[in-house]
Amino acid sequence: MSRLLRAKKLVAPALVAGVAGGSLYYMYKPRNIPGYEGPVVPPPIFGADGTFKLPRFPQVKSRDQQIADLKRSNSGNKEDEYDVLVIGAGATGAGVALDAATRGLKVAVVERDDFSSGTSSKSTKLVHGGVRYLEKAVWNLDYSQYELVREALKERKYFLKTAPHLSSWLPIMLPLDKWWKVPYYWAGTKFYDFLAGSEGIESSYFLTKSKAIDAFPMLKQTDLVGALVYYDGAHNDSRMNVSIGMTAALYGATVVNHMEVTGLQKGENGKLCGATLKDVIPERDGNPATPFNIKAKCIINCTGPFTDSIRKMDDQDCKEIVAPASGVHVILPGYYSPGKMGLIDPSTSDGRVIFFLPWQGNTIAGTTDEPATVTKNPLPDEKSIQWILNEISHYLSPDINVRRGDVLAAWSGLRPLVRDPKAKNTESLVRNHLIDISPSGLITCAGGKWTTYRQMAEECVDAAVKEFNLPVKPIAHPPLISGTEHVEDEAVLDGSCQTHRVRLIGAHGFSRTLFIHLIQHFGVETEVAKHLTESYGDRAWTVASLCKATDKRFPAKGERIAQLYPFVDGEIRYAVRHEYAQTAVDVLARRTRLAFLNAQAALEALPKVIDIMADELKWDATRKEVEWKETVAFLESMGLPQPMLTTTRQQVEKGKLDWSNSLEWKMYSRHDKPLDERERKEQAEIAEKAGTHR
């Protein structure tokens, strides 16, 4: 009996020790963090004969060749006909094209503007499950919200696996002002960790007040009791989008930007069988654009906020399903946040969530959520900008003056919330995404978010294959995207969906130390080398090789297009030759991110961008003037102040941008305001009196 009592006494301590030990092991166990592995393809080295061979990567077809392939589909030969035509090359459209191409289908994707020209370039730059969605799922016992979070957490890992150069983990701080919030949010972040499971990395953790201030010095100390830190993903959204499209092109998809769909074609049976397209680039050169027809078995509509315009081409009487919401973001200087940690306010003054994150050396803050109308380049409204600045000021130290003049750029993105046209209540919005097939066969894929683009694409292609009995097949000889035949990709292209394994262009040779090899070989600046490897992966070798040699000892290569940012001339040439950039906006906004980081810096870099593109694309003076006017007009949607919209190229080149008489002068306090006449007189009188007293 005494042995039994002794054993019972030992059970409880052993159980506690086991639980504590298990928890500690879970929190501190060694993890293989996705995106931090060594390169699949090692960097090039000097050979025994002293030669250094740069990687030889496969080339995509030229834009003219891609257009010729589109026209060939209408030749009458069934083999030239496309299995799938995707309209829209944002995240979803490019994702659908890559998925279908890697299943062995003959695919074309066309975009009226440029890759990521709409919503896909105007996100919060996060790859996340959504801690707020999880909170709603728990409190409302909402299983669909719970599934949404689980799905997003699974997809989050694929970002780092397939594009480690473009995505990374980011610790995000949640400041706490009441002690009772500590256990509440601690339980929430731990549940978030638990749901992530093997998809997660470091565990969330609690910081005392002193540790929180040490990690985030700009934080307001009043009422602060501590902070919780959890991990989510961050990425370079438009460069990710461009990379998805270019990878699809390497796998055989016909990928064409600035190609507008002007109509849909139907056969005698009333089913869709093709589309009418128009290349919009000749019109920029003053030449007429001749529409042409293409043939495809299946047409997929992935046009985001513009979804209904394509649906109405199919059925003029269809009911609109998109309920667009505007999300405004602002960019502030980098000193507003630590370089490696973000901040979240889960409950702002009106109940919305706001993020405050480091991005590309600056700080991004947002977002708002207001009903909007669909326009091509929506303008950020002043009310939303002021609301964001006001909200973040509540979390920052009182001695930090959050000034309107510190806003370097601001933009508005349209989130395409959708209604299900086949639901009983057609007014209610779909929680996640929608895949709808019209009577004529138009497949519409809409809604969702950046994090789940890959799964949306997978489900969309699954629906297309089933509906149209498309001939998926293995790819016997896939392209050597890595640049070498000695390395095989993990993806087994057997006709099934493999996009969770297909590495994007630039991923194979990327490592966190690749930038050192770039510096040692090309003599580029450290900041530039890091930027190139984190934007292009192993293709940074090609970009650096396209940089102009300097006449300096160091850097030996790479001429910056903006003094304060690491974007260089080689990127413009690479964008034109390898990424289908056709306009100055393509380069400033989507290939580099200068327009999103600093609207005025983008304006000042514009002459250099136009000149390099003109040299590459053989533009004449008229086309260069068109590019100037249209790019300046676009920069208004990036927050460029009104007085700057009439700036001429000559003013920029001569450095004669006159701010002194502009209404917005006070907004830009980083400039020294000149004294007005009255102030001059006052200071002169003070000086004169001081002189007489001597």
Side-chain angles (χ1 to χ4, degrees):
M1 187 70 180
S2 61
R3 285 183 181 176
L4 187 62
L5 287 170
R6 231 179 280 124
K8 282 184 176 179
K9 287 180 180 178
L10 290 172
V11 167
L15 195 60
V16 171
V19 171
S23 300
L24 284 171
Y25 175 74
Y26 173 76
M27 291 170 66
Y28 297 108
K29 67 179 180 180
R31 287 173 165 87
N32 293 320
I33 301 176
Y36 283 81
E37 306 95 341
V40 179
V41 179
I45 57 174
F46 284 95
D49 59 353
T51 58
F52 185 94
K53 292 183 179 178
L54 290 173
R56 296 179 64 85
F57 299 115
Q59 302 286 311
V60 294
K61 290 182 179 179
S62 70
R63 187 171 183 274
D64 288 342
Q65 289 173 318
Q66 298 279 38
I67 293 173
D69 287 345
L70 286 174
K71 293 178 177 178
R72 196 176 298 115
S73 70
N74 197 37
S75 65
N77 186 344
K78 282 288 183 183
E79 290 186 3
D80 292 330
E81 187 178 313
Y82 288 104
D83 295 316
V84 178
L85 168 63
V86 184
I87 305 174
T92 307
V96 168
L98 178 60
D99 190 305
T102 51
R103 297 197 204 193
L105 296 173
K106 188 175 174 63
V107 188
V109 56
V110 295
E111 164 62 48
R112 178 180 64 178
D113 197 330
D114 184 31
F115 313 112
S116 196
S117 58
T119 307
S120 297
S121 63
K122 298 175 180 177
S123 71
T124 312
K125 324 304 178 192
L126 283 177
V127 184
H128 62 134
V131 287
R132 185 66 184 272
Y133 296 137
L134 182 59
E135 184 182 29
K136 287 181 179 178
V138 172
W139 282 109
N140 300 333
L141 299 178
D142 189 334
Y143 186 73
S144 63
Q145 288 272 17
Y146 169 79
E147 280 295 299
L148 180 63
V149 174
R150 283 198 61 182
E151 173 188 303
L153 288 172
K154 182 181 71 175
E155 293 298 319
R156 187 180 67 173
K157 184 176 182 179
Y158 297 146
F159 268 79
L160 279 99
K161 188 174 184 180
T162 59
H165 54 303
L166 294 169
S167 48
S168 60
W169 295 108
L170 179 68
I172 300 177
M173 179 183 287
L174 173 59
L176 303 172
D177 59 354
K178 298 284 191 299
W179 278 109
W180 66 264
K181 291 183 179 181
V182 175
Y184 176 78
Y185 284 112
W186 181 88
T189 55
K190 287 301 174 188
F191 189 27
Y192 195 64
D193 294 343
F194 174 75
L195 283 184
S198 62
E199 274 74 52
I201 49 157
E202 297 295 336
S203 246
S204 57
Y205 55 90
F206 175 75
L207 288 176
T208 62
K209 178 177 178 177
S210 59
K211 291 288 186 185
I213 294 168
D214 184 52
F216 208 117
M218 310 82 179
L219 209 57
K220 182 173 72 174
Q221 300 184 30
T222 311
D223 297 328
L224 183 70
V225 299
L228 279 160
V229 177
Y230 71 96
Y231 286 81
D232 248 326
H235 75 142
N236 188 337
D237 52 9
S238 73
R239 283 227 51 85
M240 180 76 76
N241 198 156
V242 170
S243 297
I244 296 167
M246 291 302 99
T247 307
L250 285 175
Y251 276 101
T254 301
V255 179
V256 186
N257 57 349
H258 300 286
M259 182 66 69
E260 183 178 4
V261 173
T262 59
L264 300 178
Q265 298 173 12
K266 295 181 180 178
E268 294 179 358
N269 59 359
K271 298 290 185 180
L272 291 173
C273 61
T276 303
L277 309 181
K278 183 183 76 170
D279 183 4
V280 301
I281 293 301
E283 293 178 343
R284 299 177 77 91
D285 291 316
N287 300 319
T290 305
F292 60 93
N293 297 330
I294 72 166
K295 293 292 183 185
K297 299 182 183 72
C298 163
I299 299 177
I300 301 178
N301 175 16
C302 298
T303 51
F306 303 95
T307 292
D308 286 324
S309 63
I310 301 298
R311 292 178 69 248
K312 287 183 182 295
M313 287 183 187
D314 174 45
D315 177 7
Q316 197 170 3
D317 299 322
C318 70
K319 189 172 182 180
E320 293 187 355
I321 63 172
V322 174
S326 167
V328 172
H329 293 83
V330 301
I331 287 286
L332 297 165
Y335 56 73
Y336 271 91
S337 68
K340 297 292 184 182
M341 181 173 285
L343 182 144
I344 179 176
D345 179 358
S347 184
T348 58
S349 58
D350 60 1
R352 290 182 286 191
V353 173
I354 196 166
F355 286 97
F356 192 60
L357 311 167
W359 184 65
Q360 300 283 307
N362 284 353
T363 302
I364 183 172
T367 177
T368 58
D369 187 11
E370 300 286 348
T373 55
V374 177
T375 55
K376 186 178 178 183
N377 290 314
L379 301 179
D381 63 288
E382 189 61 30
K383 180 183 175 184
S384 294
I385 293 172
Q386 292 293 351
W387 179 83
I388 293 171
L389 296 179
N390 182 58
E391 291 298 326
I392 63 176
S393 68
H394 295 161
Y395 274 89
L396 297 179
S397 176
D399 66 325
I400 297 177
N401 183 17
V402 181
R403 306 173 301 183
R404 177 59 177 85
D406 283 333
V407 175
L408 303 175
W411 68 85
S412 172
L414 295 179
R415 186 182 175 198
L417 305 173
V418 291
R419 308 177 185 92
D420 187 347
K422 294 183 174 65
K424 289 183 180 179
N425 180 8
T426 56
E427 293 304 313
S428 62
L429 297 174
V430 174
R431 288 285 177 86
N432 192 356
H433 59 270
L434 167 76
I435 296 173
D436 176 66
I437 305 177
S438 74
S440 65
L442 177 66
I443 298 180
T444 294
C445 184
K449 58 181 184 176
W450 237 118
T451 307
T452 57
Y453 90 91
R454 194 210 62 82
Q455 185 175 27
M456 290 171 62
E458 179 181 351
E459 292 177 12
C460 185
V461 176
D462 285 345
V465 169
K466 182 180 179 182
E467 179 73 15
F468 295 94
N469 195 27
L470 299 177
V472 295
K473 57 183 179 293
I475 298 178
H477 303 289
L480 301 174
I481 294 181
S482 65
T484 173
E485 59 187 12
H486 302 298
V487 175
E488 291 185 7
D489 213 326
E490 281 184 19
V492 180
L493 304 178
D494 57 2
S496 64
C497 177
Q498 291 292 313
T499 48
H500 58 297
R501 293 193 180 100
V502 172
R503 288 187 177 92
L504 299 186
I505 186 171
H508 294 81
F510 173 75
S511 73
R512 300 286 163 183
T513 56
L514 178 61
F515 75 95
I516 297 173
H517 299 280
L518 223 61
I519 297 169
Q520 292 179 337
H521 183 70
F522 290 107
V524 294
E525 295 173 80
T526 301
E527 186 187 9
V528 170
K530 285 184 175 180
H531 155 68
L532 292 181
T533 55
E534 290 170 4
S535 298
Y536 301 90
D538 58 24
R539 267 46 177 190
W541 290 105
T542 306
V543 179
S545 70
L546 293 172
C547 287
K548 182 181 177 182
T550 70
D551 56 358
K552 303 174 184 176
R553 184 190 64 80
F554 190 87
K557 271 200 165 194
E559 182 183 348
R560 293 194 184 213
I561 63 172
Q563 184 181 357
L564 300 178
Y565 297 91
F567 306 113
V568 288
D569 59 317
E571 294 181 75
I572 305 170
R573 298 182 184 94
Y574 183 85
V576 172
R577 298 181 194 182
H578 302 281
E579 293 182 338
Y580 300 142
Q582 295 293 305
T583 71
V585 173
D586 292 352
V587 169
L588 284 170
R590 271 91 61 173
R591 303 311 185 281
T592 71
R593 305 312 308 274
L594 187 56
F596 281 82
L597 291 167
N598 190 321
Q600 186 186 340
L603 177 68
E604 291 166 351
L606 184 53
K608 191 172 293 184
V609 171
I610 289 176
D611 285 346
I612 295 175
M613 293 189 76
D615 187 53
E616 292 287 323
L617 294 167
K618 310 305 178 193
W619 291 345
D620 58 19
T622 304
R623 174 64 187 273
K624 289 166 78 171
E625 185 61 25
V626 168
E627 290 300 320
W628 177 267
K629 289 180 179 177
E630 296 208 359
T631 306
V632 173
F634 168 81
L635 289 175
E636 182 181 12
S637 69
M638 292 288 108
L640 189 69
Q642 282 289 331
M644 305 301 292
L645 299 178
T646 55
T647 302
T648 65
R649 175 171 176 153
Q650 288 72 28
Q651 286 176 301
V652 171
E653 289 179 325
K654 293 177 181 178
K656 293 185 177 180
L657 298 178
D658 183 14
W659 288 78
S660 58
N661 296 317
S662 68
L663 295 174
E664 283 83 358
W665 179 268
K666 290 181 181 178
M667 291 163 46
Y668 293 87
S669 52
R670 52 188 174 273
H671 296 281
D672 292 325
K673 181 181 177 183
L675 298 173
D676 61 25
E677 196 60 34
R678 189 184 65 179
E679 288 173 322
R680 282 199 192 94
K681 286 181 179 178
E682 288 175 353
Q683 291 204 5
E685 288 172 3
I686 292 169
E688 188 178 343
K689 287 177 182 177
T692 49
H693 286 307
R694 290 196 192 109

